[in-house]
């Protein structure tokens, strides 16, 4: 039976650590880190996500502001808000909550974001740095995934890590982080042939697809670390992409859904916001 990787518990520890570091930063620099969330339209799930993130910020002493624009906002209006927040010295992190209404191009928003305030790590600058092996602000969910894998104590060096899903938000940056840890990485996606042949060779399997119970016990190597990123609503219940009940009989470690990757994503956002404030305050510091 697999050990459970408890994201709730680890996230609480990370929060505690971030709170102490924020306190020290405020004492040393006289600056309170601030996160600005951009919410466009009326997606109820997005509103909940933003509320959870700003509440978590409050718990660790990070200020937050939420900018709620109407559903019919134009691309120009959202970009104008991004520019305003880029220019504000008292705002250190900008979080455009996705998904946005269809008339808004998310790429254009991330291209316009000041990379020093890009706490989701999705601007071309930060994505490029990660690809070059010189990460600065890294997407929150992949950071949370790596922290959970580290919890197992299993070394990634030379191990075979298989990632399902190649999104810019989760799959691709996770594969790059694992590569940075010296794993041998296979990145699978919707066109991958013989998926199970790949997954069965994984010492570490990260699943970020968005299909309930895609991964079953026969697809998992005995003793593997299995990280389930998926969030799917089935019959009013949240389930992951991994068939938890059968896979836990085979895996060595497994994350639950909910209570696995989700809380870690928020904890890493807080960590990134503090890091963003540190980067900006250091850039402002006079040359000695
Ligand atoms: P996405 O829709 O952008 O990407 C899905 C990826 O899965 C694509 O790259 C696609 O090629 C791949 N895919 C589709 N069918 C496949 C198949 N049969 N086999 C292998 N790969 C397949 O989604 P995303 O934003 O990467 O999110 C993935 C899941 O993770 C979703 O359920 C999402 O809700 C969840 N998510 C959770 C968190 C969290 O904090 N827990 C954060 C972000 C996303």
């Amino acid at each position: 039976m697999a050990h459970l990787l408890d994201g709730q518990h680890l996230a609480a520890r990370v929060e505690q650590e971030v709170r102490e570091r924020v306190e020290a930063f405020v004492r040393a620099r006289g600056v309170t880190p601030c996160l600005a969330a951009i919410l466009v339209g009326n997606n109820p799930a997005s509103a909940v996500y933003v509320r959870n993130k700003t509440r978590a910020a409050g718990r660790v002493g990070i200020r937050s502001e939420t900018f709620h624009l109407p559903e019919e906002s134009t691309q120009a209006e959202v970009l104008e808000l991004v520019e305003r927040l880029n220019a504000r010295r008292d705002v250190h992190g900008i979080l455009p909550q996705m998904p946005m209404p269809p008339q808004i191009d998310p790429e254009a928003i991330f291209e316009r974001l000041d990379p020093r305030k890009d706490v989701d790590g999705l601007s071309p600058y930060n994505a490029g740095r990660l690809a070059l092996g010189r990460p600065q602000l890294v997407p929150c969910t992949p950071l949370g995934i790596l922290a959970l894998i580290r919890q197992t104590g299993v070394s990634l060096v030379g191990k075979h890590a298989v990632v399902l899903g190649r999104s810019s938000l989760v799959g691709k940056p996770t594969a790059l982080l694992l590569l940075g840890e010296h794993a041998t990485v296979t990145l699978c996606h919707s066109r991958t042939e013989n998926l199970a042949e790949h997954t069965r060779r994984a010492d570490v399997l990260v699943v970020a697809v968005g299909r309930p119970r895609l991964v079953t016990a026969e697809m998992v190597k005995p003793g593997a670390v299995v990280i389930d990123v998926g969030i799917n609503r089935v019959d009013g219940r949240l389930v992951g992409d991994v068939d938890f009940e059968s896979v836990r009989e085979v895996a060595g470690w497994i994350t639950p859904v909910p209570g696995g990757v989700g809380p870690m994503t928020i904890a890493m956002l807080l960590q990134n916001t503090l890091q963003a404030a540190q980067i900006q305050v250091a850039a402002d510091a006079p040359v000695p």
Side-chain angles (χ1 to χ4, degrees):
M1 183 76 91
H3 300 283
L4 205 62
L5 275 170
D6 184 347
Q8 204 89 49
H9 183 76
L10 181 57
R13 267 183 28 215
V14 173
E15 262 195 29
Q16 166 72 24
E17 239 175 73
V18 175
R19 183 174 26 202
E20 287 163 14
R21 288 172 49 212
V22 167
E23 264 172 36
F25 179 74
V26 174
R27 258 198 319 274
R29 300 295 192 155
V31 174
T32 302
C34 174
L35 176 68
I38 302 178
L39 184 60
V40 185
N42 306 316
N43 183 327
S46 295
V48 171
Y49 284 137
V50 166
R51 202 174 332 120
N52 288 345
K53 289 169 183 177
T54 53
R55 276 193 190 147
R59 288 198 296 271
V60 300
I62 291 175
R63 256 183 357 97
S64 66
E65 293 181 32
T66 300
F67 295 82
H68 194 170
L69 299 185
E71 180 81 32
E72 62 280 6
S73 302
T74 63
Q75 169 104 345
E77 284 165 338
V78 180
L79 289 176
E80 195 265 335
L81 174 58
V82 168
E83 292 289 9
R84 254 192 308 134
L85 296 171
N86 278 347
R88 271 183 56 180
R89 288 167 61 90
D90 62 333
V91 166
H92 305 97
I94 304 174
L95 179 83
Q97 181 64 45
M98 298 295 154
M100 295 216 171
Q103 73 276 17
I104 312 289
D105 170 15
E107 301 298 330
I109 295 178
F110 288 112
E111 280 179 22
R112 194 65 69 88
L113 265 190
D114 180 339
R116 298 171 310 165
K117 300 191 178 189
D118 168 29
V119 285
D120 242 343
L122 288 172
S123 65
Y125 176 82
N126 284 313
R129 286 197 66 131
L130 179 60
L132 291 171
R134 298 193 298 124
Q136 195 163 55
L137 287 167
V138 174
C140 305
T141 301
L143 276 182
I145 292 169
L146 188 60
L148 283 163
I149 296 172
R150 289 207 171 115
Q151 270 308 97
T152 65
V154 172
S155 163
L156 281 163
V157 180
K159 294 283 164 51
H160 192 182
V162 176
V163 179
L164 306 194
R166 59 171 161 184
S167 70
S168 307
L169 183 66
V170 189
K172 222 183 278 175
T174 299
L176 288 166
L177 277 183
L178 293 167
L179 198 57
E181 297 293 318
H182 312 291
T184 301
V185 180
T186 300
L187 185 51
C188 300
H189 47 80
S190 54
R191 314 265 179 108
T192 298
E193 292 177 359
N194 304 323
L195 191 65
E197 272 178 29
H198 296 285
T199 59
R200 271 198 290 267
R201 292 209 312 269
D203 300 304
V204 173
L205 179 61
V206 178
V207 190
V209 172
R211 279 188 169 212
R213 305 194 181 102
L214 172 74
V215 172
T216 52
E218 316 78 71
M219 296 169 71
V220 174
K221 179 174 175 176
V225 177
V226 178
I227 308 288
D228 188 356
V229 187
I231 303 177
N232 310 288
R233 194 169 283 280
V234 176
D235 302 331
R237 241 166 41 91
L238 285 189
V239 299
D241 291 347
V242 173
D243 182 23
F244 183 82
E245 291 307 329
S246 73
V247 171
R248 74 186 307 193
E249 303 289 334
V250 181
W253 299 82
I254 190 167
T255 57
V257 175
V261 176
M264 288 304 294
T265 296
I266 296 187
M268 294 298 146
L269 172 68
L270 305 176
Q271 197 171 284
N272 276 357
T273 306
L274 172 60
Q275 192 189 343
Q278 287 167 332
I279 292 169
Q280 287 156 71
V281 168
D284 283 348
V287 179

